[in-house]
Amino acid sequence: MKVLYSEQMNTLDQKAVTEYKIPGLILMEHASLALEKETIKQLQKAAVNKVIICCGMGNNGGDGLALARQLLKKKIEITVFLLGNPQQLKKDSQDNYIMISKQLDNIYCLRSNIQDAKNKMVEMFQKELQKADLIVDALLGTGLDRPIEGIYDLFIQAINESLCTVMAVDIPSGIQGNTGKILSRAVQADSTVTFQLPKVGNVTYPGAYNNGKLIVADIGIPEKLIDTSEFAARISDAELVNKWVRRYRKDDHKGCGGTVLIIAGVKGMTGATVLAAKSAMKSGAGLVRIACEESFVQLFEQMIHETTTIGYPTDEDGHLLECAKTILQNQMDLADVVVMGPGWGSSKRRRTQLEFLLQKCQKPLILDADALNILSDNMELFMHNNKQWVLTPHPGEMARLTGLSAEKVNQNRLDVAKNFAEKWNTTLVLKGANTIIVNEKQETWTNTTGNPGMATGGSGDVLAGIIASLCCRTETVLQSAVAGAFLHGLTGDLVADERGRFGMTSGDLIEYLPAIMKKIIE
């Protein structure tokens, strides 16, 4: 499914009207019918029958006015608040206002900008809230780009403080449609009905949290028009992953699953390597090899039995000897994909090792954790990029890579990720709630699987192992990254369903991986 910027959705609407001759009033009518369907569900669930519809002066408010007409036909008790003068509404919204105003007594309009009129409107709203069961938020749409203030701020505050169920129209008021940023204050909805396709603000946090349950409703925009439209990203799904990931065949041998090479870390962080290795095996890798300093060989052989462990010598300061470089070069040549970074440490000698490995590795390369931290201080190392790199930063690591604060990264995750991937010719997996995956061609995906219980030590190492394994079963590193993030999150969801989110560990993810692989791939 496509995800759109607000401007792209506006273009889609306009083309439906101008090129396909679908009247805007018809699109608004379809939107109101979708809203009516969800409203009825909410009322039946709670066995209540009193609805307040809060309308702004844009098309979002017009959808709310059209909904009021539909609910009147169902004999549902409604009250409408319009935060402006109805004479200033656009034509389609005004037509709906005229129709509803002739049928409904409980419709309050802010016909004056004087403060006294605003105060009276807020007082009336607070009074009506005490009798309401469901609030429909049709105040502000996806085009909002300034902080909430004035009477809109007061209405949103009152909505959030009420005990009513809240349903938002298209996007909760106060959420920036292109980023998911909360513009000073936003409606916290229990459900959101968005039209035709989700907007970036519907799927990007923190705004996505305010959706509650997100319902995507068809309002009649032609499929042909949608297929040719520009979009910000796509949402990954099981059907896509099933299509991309190669299944087992009866004549497969271990070489068919590919060889994953993980270059191990330092004392005290060997667990990261083990987690990456186990997750690679559990997600279908035929062979997993661990390359480590000679002093760690016995330790890894005790910790994990299914891998091959290759030791390489270093000098007393930990720098690679020439024979070690030969060993590592040979192992990279034998591998189908290489993982660097989990549990590495970021000392100066690691920087030297990373530069050698990046320069010599011509295979797909998963760079995580400390490898990213080293890169952030040595961006010139990107000169060795073979365009098969997959970087998997969390927001803090992304902040170091970009020079932005983690807060700035999270305020505009999609654009930050896109700009970085294009600038540095790489595939990027920006981890976090609704992980973003994008490559240098700006092919962009957002992942909606996963849950907060996965925010635990080692979860990123598991993801690195899954992506590495899938590099051997997909056609591109982008496909492996998209599929890996989806399966990783879905595994976490299965763990949460069966064991709960509290106390979830990375080991739980590895344990449940085969069940998810069976469900989605086989």
Side-chain angles (χ1 to χ4, degrees), residues 52-56 60 83 125 129 134-141 144 148 151-162 164-176 180-193 201-202 206-213:
I52 294 179
I53 305 176
C54 303
C55 300
N60 201 257
L83 301 194
F125 181 52
L129 278 177
L134 174 68
I135 303 171
V136 177
D137 163 32
L139 291 171
L140 299 164
L144 183 69
I148 304 297
I151 193 168
Y152 282 91
D153 183 62
L154 294 173
F155 261 64
I156 291 173
Q157 181 179 357
I159 289 170
N160 288 343
E161 290 176 353
S162 77
C164 302
T165 300
V166 180
M167 183 180 77
V169 175
D170 211 17
I171 195 168
S173 294
I175 301 298
Q176 192 174 54
K181 181 181 179 181
I182 296 175
L183 295 170
S184 71
R185 192 191 302 274
V187 167
Q188 179 60 64
D190 296 287
S191 63
T192 298
V193 180
N202 291 130
Y209 175 76
N210 288 56
N211 288 321
K213 179 183 178 182

Side-chain angles (χ1 to χ4, degrees), residues 26-247:
I26 295 296
L27 295 176
M28 191 170 283
E29 191 74 358
H30 289 167
S32 72
L33 291 169
L35 292 169
E36 177 202 7
K37 181 179 179 181
E38 184 59 24
T39 302
I40 297 300
K41 281 184 183 178
Q42 293 292 339
L43 294 176
Q44 290 174 341
K45 187 188 304 182
V48 293
N49 202 40
K50 169 70 174 174
V51 179
I52 294 179
I53 305 176
C54 303
C55 300
M57 295 299 289
N59 288 336
N60 201 257
D63 294 331
L65 292 168
L67 169 63
R69 289 181 27 253
Q70 307 297 346
L71 297 183
L72 268 184
K73 292 188 295 184
K74 298 287 186 179
K75 309 298 183 183
I76 294 170
E77 185 182 354
I78 62 172
T79 300
V80 174
F81 286 87
L82 177 63
L83 301 194
N85 191 325
Q87 293 181 353
Q88 296 175 351
L89 289 167
K90 294 179 181 179
K91 185 180 185 307
D92 294 337
S93 299
Q94 194 170 83
D95 287 345
N96 272 294
Y97 171 79
I98 292 170
M99 286 185 276
I100 191 65
S101 64
K102 293 181 182 299
Q103 306 173 61
L104 180 66
D105 293 328
N106 292 340
I107 182 166
Y108 303 94
C109 302
L110 186 65
R111 298 178 184 274
S112 170
N113 266 329
I114 63 173
Q115 192 59 46
D116 187 53
K118 294 178 181 178
N119 291 341
K120 287 181 179 179
M121 176 74 91
V122 172
E123 289 174 11
M124 182 59 70
F125 181 52
Q126 291 173 332
K127 181 179 178 181
E128 290 294 322
L129 278 177
Q130 296 175 17
K131 300 179 285 184
D133 302 298
L134 174 68
I135 303 171
V136 177
D137 163 32
L139 291 171
L140 299 164
T142 60
L144 183 69
D145 61 359
R146 63 186 183 280
I148 304 297
E149 57 186 16
I151 193 168
Y152 282 91
D153 183 62
L154 294 173
F155 261 64
I156 291 173
Q157 181 179 357
I159 289 170
N160 288 343
E161 290 176 353
S162 77
L163 300 177
C164 302
T165 300
V166 180
M167 183 180 77
V169 175
D170 211 17
I171 195 168
S173 294
I175 301 298
Q176 192 174 54
N178 284 346
T179 65
K181 181 181 179 181
I182 296 175
L183 295 170
S184 71
R185 192 191 302 274
V187 167
Q188 179 60 64
D190 296 287
S191 63
T192 298
V193 180
T194 197
F195 302 128
Q196 203 64 59
L197 294 167
K199 320 311 177 290
V200 172
N202 291 130
V203 299
T204 305
Y205 284 84
Y209 175 76
N210 288 56
N211 288 321
K213 179 183 178 182
L214 182 64
I215 299 110
V216 182
D218 185 349
I219 60 170
I221 294 178
E223 199 66 35
K224 184 176 181 181
L225 180 55
I226 294 171
D227 289 342
T228 58
S229 69
E230 294 184 351
F231 59 96
R234 291 184 184 273
I235 296 175
S236 55
D237 57 41
E239 182 179 357
L240 178 86
V241 173
N242 177 272
K243 177 182 176 181
W244 280 353
V245 179
R246 176 188 176 276
R247 298 170 181 77

Side-chain angles (χ1 to χ4, degrees), residues 320-390:
L320 297 176
L321 299 176
E322 286 303 314
C323 59
K325 293 180 179 180
T326 301
I327 291 170
L328 288 169
Q329 178 70 75
N330 289 339
Q331 290 303 314
M332 289 190 292
D333 290 343
L334 290 170
D336 295 294
V337 58
V338 181
V339 179
M340 300 179 193
W344 254 38
S346 53
S347 64
K348 183 178 290 188
R349 66 185 175 90
R350 282 300 188 193
R351 190 263 183 215
T352 304
Q353 290 179 15
L354 182 63
E355 181 173 18
F356 164 76
L357 294 167
L358 296 180
Q359 185 177 359
K360 297 297 184 181
C361 184
Q362 298 304 310
K363 302 295 176 66
L365 181 57
I366 316 303
L367 293 166
D368 185 38
D370 287 323
L372 301 177
N373 293 328
I374 296 170
L375 272 177
S376 67
D377 291 328
N378 303 274
M379 299 300 281
E380 70 277 5
L381 295 179
F382 274 95
M383 72 176 69
H384 305 303
N385 185 3
N386 63 4
K387 293 189 178 180
Q388 294 190 86
W389 290 8
V390 179

Side-chain angles (χ1 to χ4, degrees), residues 11-24:
T11 299
L12 205 58
D13 283 334
Q14 291 166 11
K15 285 185 176 181
V17 173
T18 59
E19 296 179 12
Y20 286 76
K21 305 304 179 184
I22 302 172

